[in-house]
Amino acid sequence: MTNERGLPDVLRGLNGNAIETVEAWRSARRPEILELFRTHVYGRAPVGRPASLTFETVVTPGAMNGAVVRKQVDMRFEGPGGTGKIRLLLFIPSGQKGPVPVFLFINNREALTTDPDRRAAAAFWPAERIVARGYAAAAFDVEEADPDVDDGFKDGVHGIFDRYDGERPQDAWATIAAWAWAASRAMDYLETDADLDAGRVAVVGHSRGGKTALWAGALDERFALVVSNESGSTGAALSRGKRGETIQAINDQFPHWFNGNYKSFNGREDALPVDQHMLIAAIAPRYVYVASAVQDQWADPASEFASLVEAAPVYRLYGYNGLGESSFPAPESPLIGERMGYHLRSGVHDLTDYDWDRFMDFADAGALKRF
Ligand code: GTR
């Protein structure tokens, strides 16, 4: 059943039942929505936390000229197709009293973006700026979980964990889901580190990394805050009526990002039983922040904003007003509502200091606040 904007009604189950309580949302509609996204969009991971998962940590005190303790954690795992390793890099502010909140960044740019020695310090991941505000800065490179190429799902965690009788199923996990899986393994580590507050972790990604942050945050309720920067198509933006990159365009250019079934929705957005506001709703009542850039019309800023508005009924079920009565804001005028935030930045598709500063303002204002 669709609502007055032609979108699937987030608060009506496939059986037609209206969802009127948190209990009905949690026990019936939210699981149903996650299952629809697994089946039709991102695919189904064959494994959660592998029994073989181990962490090996190298600690370097006094890094960043004494500002932080650096930790490099090798997360190793094994499956029927072999072994894998993803390195998690952490900068933890020195001299903190008690466990600190964390910004976990899903890095989809070159490995130097997360240079552990800080000879390269990109605005894309401004670790110095993050620790200066009292947060631990954590990051991993998506390529270590699954290379960003269309290789028939032979390499990365697909090659390690996939075992299918006959053909690869149309709902098998694809690359965005593999990266989201890696974010949850990073969370598995964060939970073990007494220097960190695993109850106050933000997962952050830009563009394809933003799509990943949303899927990881929707599935894994351990993330207290989910930040999507310019995630666009099959990220924060609604697929119905989308300008710029459509389902067909994204499937044609990046066939490995989403599952086989998603291809059947090329040019058929209205046939999808979900739309992206439902992904944001699956994060409720946790905190969510979406950011767009004026010149990033390929992502469609107005549509990214509309997703938050359309997810708000679920936040209201929990007693939070979402963005309230806000209309699409002017550039550099962040909107901070109840459990939701949004900003539009001038300029092009990128992740900048401006964006990070707003994410941290949002975290300071409640999402990752210390009590
Ligand atoms: C683009 C793609 C977008 C976005 C972007 C990025 O080429 O069309 O969906 O993910 O790449 O990751 O920077």
Side-chain angles (χ1 to χ4, degrees):
M1 190 170 294
T2 54
N3 71 7
E4 62 279 7
R5 289 182 63 156
L7 295 168
D9 187 341
V10 68
L11 287 180
R12 192 169 292 275
L14 287 179
N15 61 6
N17 287 351
I19 305 297
E20 287 163 348
T21 62
V22 165
E23 160 59 21
W25 166 256
R26 278 203 67 75
S27 65
R29 184 61 170 152
R30 181 174 178 275
E32 178 175 86
I33 286 172
L34 291 175
E35 192 54 21
L36 290 169
F37 277 111
R38 279 189 199 97
T39 304
H40 299 292
V41 185
Y42 302 102
R44 195 176 307 285
V47 63
R49 178 186 175 134
S52 59
L53 186 70
T54 59
F55 307 116
E56 194 182 307
T57 307
V58 175
V59 181
T60 313
M64 271 183 197
N65 300 320
V68 303
V69 175
R70 184 182 73 190
K71 294 187 184 178
Q72 290 164 293
V73 183
D74 283 348
M75 308 191 290
R76 292 180 195 277
F77 41 86
E78 193 177 346
T83 59
K85 187 203 86 181
I86 301 168
R87 177 168 288 187
L88 178 68
L89 171 63
L90 270 155
F91 293 116
I92 305 173
S94 306
Q96 295 288 318
K97 288 188 188 58
V100 294
V102 184
F103 273 89
L104 171 65
F105 182 54
I106 298 167
N107 180 35
N108 59 285
R109 285 208 183 153
E110 63 277 3
L112 212 55
T113 306
T114 54
D115 180 11
D117 300 320
R118 310 309 293 157
R119 281 190 280 268
F124 198 67
W125 188 54
E128 287 74 5
R129 222 175 167 91
I130 297 169
V131 298
R133 290 188 55 165
Y135 295 99
F140 70 91
D141 296 343
V142 295
E143 293 275 329
E144 292 196 45
D146 189 33
D148 194 1
V149 288
D150 179 21
D151 72 328
F153 303 107
K154 296 283 179 292
D155 58 11
V157 294
H158 298 113
I160 295 170
F161 293 109
D162 285 5
R163 275 298 170 271
Y164 303 115
D165 295 333
E167 245 175 68
R168 195 165 199 274
Q170 295 299 303
D171 68 347
W173 60 340
T175 293
I176 298 288
W179 297 343
W181 179 90
S184 286
R185 302 296 67 79
M187 181 49 124
D188 292 341
Y189 170 77
L190 300 177
E191 287 186 317
T192 69
D193 189 329
D195 293 339
L196 306 172
D197 184 345
R200 291 180 296 155
V201 177
V203 61
V204 183
H206 165 72
S207 204
R208 63 198 74 186
K211 306 179 209 297
T212 307
L214 288 169
W215 182 230
L219 286 174
D220 191 335
E221 297 185 281
R222 296 173 297 175
F223 292 112
L225 162 63
V226 182
V227 181
S228 150
N229 196 68
E230 300 160 28
S231 60
S233 175
T234 326
L238 296 169
S239 297
R240 285 167 177 78
K242 184 165 184 321
R243 287 165 298 187
E245 190 174 37
T246 59
I247 293 179
Q248 166 109 44
I250 205 165
N251 279 333
D252 286 354
Q253 206 186 345
F254 304 103
H256 57 296
W257 282 0
F258 308 106
N259 72 14
N261 286 333
Y262 200 46
K263 289 18 172 215
S264 69
F265 296 99
N266 288 348
R268 295 176 62 242
E269 283 75 7
D270 285 338
L272 256 179
V274 288
D275 210 320
Q276 299 303 116
H277 62 306
M278 294 156 75
L279 187 64
I280 290 178
I283 297 165
R286 290 167 294 138
Y287 291 82
V288 62
Y289 194 96
V290 171
S292 310
V294 174
Q295 291 176 50
D296 187 16
Q297 293 299 324
W298 189 237
D300 196 349
S303 180
E304 294 178 312
F305 175 78
S307 250
L308 288 177
V309 173
E310 295 291 337
V314 177
Y315 279 80
R316 284 198 291 272
L317 206 57
Y318 280 97
Y320 301 108
N321 212 12
L323 290 179
E325 295 307 305
S326 335
S327 49
F328 191 53
E332 284 77 59
S333 311
L335 290 172
I336 306 299
E338 290 180 359
R339 305 244 156 175
M340 274 185 189
Y342 178 85
H343 78 246
L344 177 67
R345 169 177 57 69
S346 298
V348 299
H349 185 68
D350 198 3
L351 176 53
T352 68
D353 283 343
Y354 178 85
D355 300 312
W356 279 103
D357 288 352
R358 299 295 78 74
F359 306 158
M360 290 190 280
D361 291 348
F362 186 64
D364 288 351
L368 302 184
K369 197 164 129 188
R370 294 147 200 266
F371 296 102

